[in-house]
């Protein structure tokens, strides 16, 4: 009776756990070892991207918990209600960063070009 109750209420979680296990096995099989340098599966970058994106599905378990537990639901609701009032603060922070960027450019403008002329910086990626 226990497994039936589990699968009735946790089909989504069970599916995500199985998907995660399959992706884990596929990724381990595609890596190979340093000794034999061959792999069971050959995954190209698109396949790896798809497996990484499928791994993101696990985040939905967290969202599901947040929406099912009443205290977390209230916390999410408060956060959603606060976000629109943060736009003003965001614009103020953006303006402050802009002012400091302009000040920094005026103070340090040309310093790295003069440093690039010194012999110790020759060939450095930093002053390119």
């Amino acid at each position: 009776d226990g497994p039936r109750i589990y699968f009735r209420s946790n089909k989504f979680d069970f599916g995500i756990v199985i998907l995660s296990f399959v992706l884990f096995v596929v990724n381990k099989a595609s890596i190979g070892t340093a000794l034999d340098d061959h792999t069971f599966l050959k995954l190209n970058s698109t396949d790896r991207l798809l497996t990484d994106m499928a791994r993101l599905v696990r985040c939905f378990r967290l969202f599901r918990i947040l929406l099912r537990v009443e205290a977390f639901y209230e916390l999410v609701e408060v956060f959603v209600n606060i976000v629109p009032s943060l736009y003003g603060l965001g614009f103020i922070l953006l303006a402050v960063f802009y002012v400091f960027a302009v000040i920094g450019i005026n103070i340090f403008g040309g310093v790295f070009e003069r440093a690039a002329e010194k012999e110790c910086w020759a060939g450095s990626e930093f002053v390119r």
Side-chain angles (χ1 to χ4, degrees), residues 6 12-23 58 61:
Y6 173 80
F12 181 72
D13 290 335
F14 180 74
I16 289 177
V17 168
I18 293 299
L19 177 68
S20 299
F21 180 73
V22 169
L23 291 175
R58 290 188 288 188
R61 291 179 72 188

Side-chain angles (χ1 to χ4, degrees), residues 2-128:
R4 200 169 346 153
I5 294 172
Y6 173 80
F7 287 116
R8 188 175 341 134
S9 62
N10 295 317
K11 291 176 191 171
F12 181 72
D13 290 335
F14 180 74
I16 289 177
V17 168
I18 293 299
L19 177 68
S20 299
F21 180 73
V22 169
L23 291 175
F24 174 76
V25 170
V26 167
N27 280 334
K28 287 299 179 186
S30 68
I31 291 173
T33 62
L35 297 176
D36 55 11
D37 199 29
H38 72 278
T39 60
F40 180 69
L41 295 173
K42 299 284 186 187
L43 294 181
N44 57 21
S45 61
T46 305
D47 295 335
R48 285 202 183 271
L49 179 65
L50 289 175
T51 57
D52 290 342
M53 287 175 53
R55 226 180 270 157
L56 288 174
V57 175
R58 290 188 288 188
C59 295
F60 292 125
R61 291 179 72 188
L62 175 65
F63 295 135
R64 185 170 176 231
I65 290 171
L66 289 177
L67 294 177
R68 283 198 174 190
V69 177
E70 185 66 29
F72 289 137
Y73 181 78
E74 290 175 6
L75 186 66
V76 170
E77 188 177 355
V78 166
F79 181 72
V80 168
N81 291 334
I82 287 176
V83 168
S85 65
L86 295 177
Y87 287 132
L89 179 64
F91 285 126
I92 291 171
L93 285 173
L94 185 66
V96 168
F97 287 149
Y98 180 76
V99 167
F100 278 105
V102 170
I103 291 171
I105 287 173
N106 286 322
I107 292 174
F108 298 109
V111 171
F112 294 110
E113 284 81 10
R114 289 190 299 271
E117 295 170 1
K118 293 184 179 179
E119 196 174 310
C120 64
W121 291 104
S124 174
E125 296 287 326
F126 181 69
V127 292
R128 195 179 257 202

